Tab-separated table of all heavy atoms in Angstrom:
chain	number	residue	atom	x	y	z
A	358	GLU	N	5.505	24.225	-14.200
A	358	GLU	CA	4.185	24.605	-13.855
A	358	GLU	C	3.982	24.793	-12.344
A	358	GLU	O	3.421	25.651	-11.860
A	358	GLU	CB	3.127	23.652	-14.453
A	358	GLU	CG	2.977	23.690	-15.991
A	358	GLU	CD	2.096	22.542	-16.526
A	358	GLU	OE1	1.903	21.509	-15.843
A	358	GLU	OE2	1.349	22.845	-17.447
A	359	LYS	N	4.657	23.800	-11.623
A	359	LYS	CA	4.479	23.812	-10.232
A	359	LYS	C	5.159	25.035	-9.572
A	359	LYS	O	4.568	25.696	-8.697
A	359	LYS	CB	5.213	22.544	-9.600
A	359	LYS	CG	5.001	22.264	-8.107
A	359	LYS	CD	5.768	21.027	-7.756
A	359	LYS	CE	5.183	19.763	-8.438
A	359	LYS	NZ	5.818	18.561	-7.928
A	360	ALA	N	6.329	25.369	-10.060
A	360	ALA	CA	7.009	26.605	-9.635
A	360	ALA	C	6.220	27.804	-9.846
A	360	ALA	O	6.094	28.705	-8.943
A	360	ALA	CB	8.402	26.667	-10.297
A	361	MET	N	5.620	27.940	-11.066
A	361	MET	CA	4.761	29.114	-11.425
A	361	MET	C	3.485	29.155	-10.497
A	361	MET	O	3.069	30.264	-9.997
A	361	MET	CB	4.303	29.058	-12.793
A	361	MET	CG	5.522	29.237	-13.822
A	361	MET	SD	5.057	29.115	-15.549
A	361	MET	CE	3.690	30.397	-15.632
A	362	PHE	N	2.866	28.006	-10.261
A	362	PHE	CA	1.691	27.909	-9.369
A	362	PHE	C	2.040	28.332	-8.044
A	362	PHE	O	1.292	29.137	-7.409
A	362	PHE	CB	1.230	26.405	-9.517
A	362	PHE	CG	-0.139	26.258	-8.786
A	362	PHE	CD1	-1.280	26.933	-9.296
A	362	PHE	CD2	-0.200	25.437	-7.696
A	362	PHE	CE1	-2.464	26.741	-8.619
A	362	PHE	CE2	-1.471	25.306	-6.979
A	362	PHE	CZ	-2.645	25.887	-7.460
A	363	LEU	N	3.121	27.850	-7.441
A	363	LEU	CA	3.539	28.153	-6.118
A	363	LEU	C	3.796	29.681	-6.015
A	363	LEU	O	3.354	30.331	-5.024
A	363	LEU	CB	4.689	27.385	-5.597
A	363	LEU	CG	4.514	25.856	-5.347
A	363	LEU	CD1	5.801	25.110	-5.165
A	363	LEU	CD2	3.569	25.695	-4.176
A	364	GLU	N	4.442	30.256	-7.033
A	364	GLU	CA	4.788	31.620	-7.062
A	364	GLU	C	3.422	32.505	-7.075
A	364	GLU	O	3.357	33.486	-6.295
A	364	GLU	CB	5.648	31.995	-8.206
A	364	GLU	CG	6.110	33.464	-8.224
A	364	GLU	CD	7.119	33.743	-9.430
A	364	GLU	OE1	7.421	32.719	-10.130
A	364	GLU	OE2	7.370	34.959	-9.618
A	365	ASP	N	2.531	32.064	-7.805
A	365	ASP	CA	1.207	32.810	-7.987
A	365	ASP	C	0.561	32.774	-6.630
A	365	ASP	O	-0.185	33.732	-6.213
A	365	ASP	CB	0.377	32.218	-8.956
A	365	ASP	CG	0.787	32.554	-10.435
A	365	ASP	OD1	1.664	33.373	-10.573
A	365	ASP	OD2	0.369	31.783	-11.322
A	366	LEU	N	0.682	31.746	-5.794
A	366	LEU	CA	0.024	31.598	-4.485
A	366	LEU	C	0.843	32.349	-3.376
A	366	LEU	O	0.407	32.400	-2.279
A	366	LEU	CB	-0.145	30.102	-4.093
A	366	LEU	CG	-1.137	29.271	-4.925
A	366	LEU	CD1	-0.988	27.821	-4.565
A	366	LEU	CD2	-2.490	29.783	-4.675
A	367	GLY	N	2.099	32.701	-3.766
A	367	GLY	CA	2.935	33.320	-2.787
A	367	GLY	C	3.585	32.361	-1.811
A	367	GLY	O	4.116	32.728	-0.715
A	368	LEU	N	3.758	31.077	-2.250
A	368	LEU	CA	4.379	30.089	-1.498
A	368	LEU	C	5.802	29.789	-1.956
A	368	LEU	O	6.088	29.684	-3.150
A	368	LEU	CB	3.566	28.826	-1.490
A	368	LEU	CG	2.127	28.883	-0.983
A	368	LEU	CD1	1.400	27.509	-1.241
A	368	LEU	CD2	2.122	29.270	0.550
A	369	SER	N	6.698	29.551	-1.065
A	369	SER	CA	8.052	29.282	-1.453
A	369	SER	C	8.342	27.848	-1.842
A	369	SER	O	9.248	27.463	-2.499
A	369	SER	CB	9.083	29.715	-0.369
A	369	SER	OG	8.806	29.052	0.863
A	370	CYS	N	7.475	26.929	-1.242
A	370	CYS	CA	7.590	25.529	-1.530
A	370	CYS	C	6.244	24.863	-1.208
A	370	CYS	O	5.375	25.416	-0.681
A	370	CYS	CB	8.766	24.946	-0.687
A	370	CYS	SG	8.398	24.965	1.048
A	371	SER	N	6.097	23.568	-1.693
A	371	SER	CA	4.805	22.789	-1.502
A	371	SER	C	4.667	22.424	0.006
A	371	SER	O	5.593	22.451	0.718
A	371	SER	CB	4.876	21.632	-2.483
A	371	SER	OG	5.745	20.666	-1.885
A	372	GLY	N	3.447	22.012	0.256
A	372	GLY	CA	3.205	21.580	1.607
A	372	GLY	C	3.922	20.225	1.901
A	372	GLY	O	4.337	19.954	3.036
A	373	LEU	N	4.135	19.450	0.840
A	373	LEU	CA	4.920	18.255	1.036
A	373	LEU	C	6.410	18.509	1.518
A	373	LEU	O	6.914	17.872	2.402
A	373	LEU	CB	4.960	17.383	-0.328
A	373	LEU	CG	5.949	16.168	-0.327
A	373	LEU	CD1	5.485	15.215	0.795
A	373	LEU	CD2	5.915	15.516	-1.584
A	374	ASP	N	7.027	19.458	0.803
A	374	ASP	CA	8.293	19.759	1.218
A	374	ASP	C	8.395	20.299	2.702
A	374	ASP	O	9.313	19.946	3.422
A	374	ASP	CB	8.910	20.935	0.272
A	374	ASP	CG	9.192	20.378	-1.169
A	374	ASP	OD1	9.092	19.171	-1.289
A	374	ASP	OD2	9.463	21.212	-2.037
A	375	ARG	N	7.446	21.099	3.051
A	375	ARG	CA	7.404	21.623	4.352
A	375	ARG	C	7.099	20.470	5.410
A	375	ARG	O	7.602	20.502	6.516
A	375	ARG	CB	6.283	22.656	4.530
A	375	ARG	CG	6.668	23.976	3.837
A	375	ARG	CD	5.718	25.122	4.130
A	375	ARG	NE	4.474	24.830	3.382
A	375	ARG	CZ	3.241	24.684	3.966
A	375	ARG	NH1	3.151	24.696	5.306
A	375	ARG	NH2	2.198	24.505	3.303
A	376	LEU	N	6.266	19.561	5.037
A	376	LEU	CA	6.008	18.368	5.896
A	376	LEU	C	7.205	17.611	6.111
A	376	LEU	O	7.496	17.046	7.146
A	376	LEU	CB	4.922	17.530	5.243
A	376	LEU	CG	4.483	16.235	6.021
A	376	LEU	CD1	4.002	16.609	7.432
A	376	LEU	CD2	3.374	15.521	5.243
Side-chain angles (χ1 to χ4, degrees):
E358 291 174 326
K359 189 180 298 183
M361 291 176 59
F362 185 64
L363 289 171
E364 185 178 351
D365 289 343
L366 291 172
L368 299 174
S369 59
C370 62
S371 70
L373 171 59
D374 290 351
R375 290 185 289 115
L376 178 58

